[in-house]
Amino acid sequence: MNINAPRLRSDIIKPKLLSSPKMASQPKSLSISPSQPLLLPSREPANYVLHSPSIHKYSIPPPHSTLVTLRTLSAPVNPSDVNQIQGVYPVALPFTKALSTSDPSAVPGNEGCFEVIATGSSVTTVAKGDWVIPRTPGLGTWRTHLQVDESSVMRVEYQGLMHTQVATVSVNPVTAWRLLKDFVDLKEGDWFIQNGATGAVGQSVMQLAKLWGLKNIAIVKGPMNGNITEQLKMRLEEVGATKVFTEFESQAGEFQEKVTELTNGKGLRLGLNCVGGILLSKMATVLSPGAQLVTYGNMSRQPTRLSAGSMIFRDLIYRGFWVTRWSEAHPEEKEKTVRAVLDLMRDHTLQVSMLNKVVWEWFTPKETLIHTIDETFNSNRKGKGMFVFEHDYS
């Protein structure tokens, strides 16, 4: 694709020297990258903000000191990204005028995979050509290029991996790993129960459970057409579910009896919840005394009623898990978990959930990008939204 990318001077760095849009050289420096982010204006009401972003072009200066310039390879669209845009997520969007806008603006997106294309003179942890991912949320990944301090990103070994795999590692697989490791000491052959089994975290949980010899009861949305339900159950069992029930089946009177029969009376010491509402209350009734019920989402957006009796007489423990807070508290363990997950992806033990890849080129209409974001909570979508960036501007 031929375009006239914004430039500061007419002399252009040859592509072989820097893999990025047409660059304008600076004396005794590398180059300046035209960047194209999806911006959100701060003055828009949260409920309408998805329909008011703009595509903004600005120039990034050469990196100095510990700054690194990155080009985005891919960036997923997570439900938490949309919640952040809506203003209902604990981490607020960082609005700023640093992007050469007249009013404060912010770039959404918390996950992504980037290539380092230039480094400041004091950078020690990454080098040109490395792949990196964000260490913390709020980086603003929905843009073609960005410049950050080296402490904001983590270098990853990319051999044997696709950048779309690397881009998804920080949130969902890490959440799944910690859910199975940090709350109950499950041994091979032990059972647990989970809802939201078709979600990205749910599928990662099932794959890890299968790898570690754990058995699980997976609950999916329902009721549905009988044939579709059976096909879905078979697919999830191939992924790693031991037994699949629909939400409708889990609320039937005989569900407790079925659970007892499945587990041979061993019971369930762990429940994983991302749906909430009535389903959470129902799951609590089939857990063993002393079990832990861990909530990491509330997709139903319905209030949850917890039984006082389950806590008093059955000693159930209700916990919450937020991977962002855990990552901030355990940075070294986060890095170890990321590398362990990438190893499993590399040998195809852990598969990324189905992706709906949307190519982001220089002239991609913003309506295409907004539609991808709007589809995040559509249960009939083709897969998890993933912006894939094309950088062929020669």
Side-chain angles (χ1 to χ4, degrees), residues 264-374:
N264 291 321
K266 293 181 179 180
L268 303 167
R269 295 192 294 127
L270 176 66
L272 304 177
N273 164 63
C274 69
V275 176
I278 296 175
L279 184 57
L280 173 63
S281 303
K282 186 61 181 179
M283 283 176 58
T285 65
V286 299
L287 291 174
S288 303
Q292 296 200 40
L293 183 49
V294 185
T295 293
Y296 62 95
N298 185 35
M299 297 297 288
S300 71
R301 300 185 181 182
Q302 299 297 316
T304 298
R305 294 181 179 179
L306 302 178
S307 165
S310 68
M311 291 181 274
I312 298 170
F313 304 116
R314 297 174 53 225
D315 198 26
L316 293 190
I317 301 171
Y318 296 93
R319 302 283 298 276
F321 180 79
W322 182 29
V323 71
T324 298
R325 180 175 55 196
W326 177 86
S327 299
E328 291 173 348
H330 306 89
E332 293 183 1
E333 194 64 25
K334 164 69 179 293
E335 189 164 342
K336 289 180 182 178
T337 306
V338 165
R339 301 196 187 288
V341 169
L342 289 176
D343 285 341
L344 294 182
M345 289 181 173
R346 190 176 284 109
D347 65 18
H348 307 292
T349 303
L350 186 65
Q351 302 286 338
V352 175
S353 58
M354 186 179 298
L355 299 175
N356 177 27
K357 299 178 183 179
V358 178
V359 175
W360 184 328
E361 298 177 296
W362 199 255
F363 289 130
T364 299
K366 76 171 185 178
E367 290 76 17
T368 299
L369 309 178
I370 293 172
H371 177 73
T372 304
I373 301 168
D374 282 338

Side-chain angles (χ1 to χ4, degrees), residues 111 133 154 166 168-183 200-201 204-205 208 212 321-324 326-327 330 333-342 345 350:
E111 275 193 299
I133 60 175
M154 177 194 310
V166 177
T168 64
V169 70
S170 296
V171 176
N172 295 324
V174 170
T175 295
W177 189 292
R178 303 324 312 179
L179 288 173
L180 291 177
K181 289 292 187 181
D182 291 352
F183 296 93
V201 173
S204 292
V205 163
L208 292 174
W212 296 336
F321 180 79
W322 182 29
V323 71
T324 298
W326 177 86
S327 299
H330 306 89
E333 194 64 25
K334 164 69 179 293
E335 189 164 342
K336 289 180 182 178
T337 306
V338 165
R339 301 196 187 288
V341 169
L342 289 176
M345 289 181 173
L350 186 65

Side-chain angles (χ1 to χ4, degrees), residues 66-70 110 112-116 118-119 123 125-127 130-136 139 141 146-156 170 335 339:
T66 57
L67 295 179
V68 293
T69 303
L70 313 173
N110 292 288
C113 177
F114 311 89
E115 179 187 0
V116 178
T119 62
V123 171
T125 58
V126 298
D130 285 346
W131 282 11
V132 296
I133 60 175
R135 284 190 180 276
T136 56
L139 201 63
T141 60
L146 64 158
Q147 189 175 89
V148 297
D149 191 87
E150 64 175 320
S151 62
S152 300
V153 294
M154 177 194 310
R155 179 182 176 274
V156 298
S170 296
E335 189 164 342
R339 301 196 187 288

Side-chain angles (χ1 to χ4, degrees), residues 13-296:
I13 297 293
K14 295 180 180 180
K16 66 178 182 180
L17 296 179
L18 199 55
S19 178
S20 59
K22 291 185 177 181
M23 299 293 175
S25 66
Q26 291 289 295
K28 299 181 182 179
S29 70
L30 286 175
S31 55
I32 293 178
S33 310
S35 186
Q36 188 189 48
L38 185 65
L39 288 185
L40 295 173
S42 61
R43 62 180 180 273
E44 291 294 334
N47 291 340
Y48 304 101
V49 77
L50 278 183
H51 303 284
S52 59
S54 62
I55 298 294
H56 176 67
K57 299 173 184 176
Y58 68 103
S59 292
I60 297 175
H64 61 86
S65 186
T66 57
L67 295 179
V68 293
T69 303
L70 313 173
R71 76 179 182 103
T72 314
L73 302 177
S74 55
V77 181
N78 291 310
S80 57
D81 296 324
V82 179
N83 290 154
Q84 191 176 40
I85 292 170
Q86 294 168 333
V88 295
Y89 197 68
V91 178
L93 283 168
F95 286 93
T96 177
K97 288 186 178 181
L99 301 174
S100 303
T101 56
S102 57
D103 296 315
S105 300
V107 182
N110 292 288
E111 275 193 299
C113 177
F114 311 89
E115 179 187 0
V116 178
I117 61 173
T119 62
S121 58
S122 300
V123 171
T124 60
T125 58
V126 298
K128 180 181 172 183
D130 285 346
W131 282 11
V132 296
I133 60 175
R135 284 190 180 276
T136 56
L139 201 63
T141 60
W142 297 351
R143 49 179 151 179
T144 61
H145 299 77
L146 64 158
Q147 189 175 89
V148 297
D149 191 87
E150 64 175 320
S151 62
S152 300
V153 294
M154 177 194 310
R155 179 182 176 274
V156 298
E157 295 291 343
Y158 60 80
Q159 288 77 9
L161 294 168
M162 297 182 292
H163 56 75
T164 50
Q165 292 176 299
V166 177
T168 64
V169 70
S170 296
V171 176
N172 295 324
V174 170
T175 295
W177 189 292
R178 303 324 312 179
L179 288 173
L180 291 177
K181 289 292 187 181
D182 291 352
F183 296 93
V184 176
D185 184 18
L186 296 174
K187 306 296 185 183
E188 186 173 353
D190 284 348
W191 285 80
F192 68 93
I193 187 170
Q194 64 179 110
N195 60 33
T198 57
V201 173
Q203 293 192 47
S204 292
V205 163
M206 289 185 289
Q207 292 179 73
L208 292 174
K210 184 177 182 180
L211 174 65
W212 296 336
L214 306 176
K215 298 182 178 181
N216 69 315
I217 294 172
I219 301 177
V220 298
K221 190 176 178 65
M224 297 173 284
N225 173 280
N227 292 332
I228 296 176
T229 300
E230 290 309 312
Q231 291 173 10
L232 177 60
K233 287 182 176 181
M234 290 176 61
R235 181 170 66 82
L236 293 180
E237 286 172 359
E238 291 175 358
V239 171
T242 309
K243 183 66 177 179
V244 182
F245 293 93
T246 66
E247 292 182 9
F248 180 77
E249 292 170 332
S250 71
Q251 294 174 30
E254 64 271 15
F255 184 58
Q256 173 71 70
E257 183 179 336
K258 290 181 178 179
V259 169
T260 302
E261 182 180 345
L262 274 172
T263 63
N264 291 321
K266 293 181 179 180
L268 303 167
R269 295 192 294 127
L270 176 66
L272 304 177
N273 164 63
C274 69
V275 176
I278 296 175
L279 184 57
L280 173 63
S281 303
K282 186 61 181 179
M283 283 176 58
T285 65
V286 299
L287 291 174
S288 303
Q292 296 200 40
L293 183 49
V294 185
T295 293
Y296 62 95

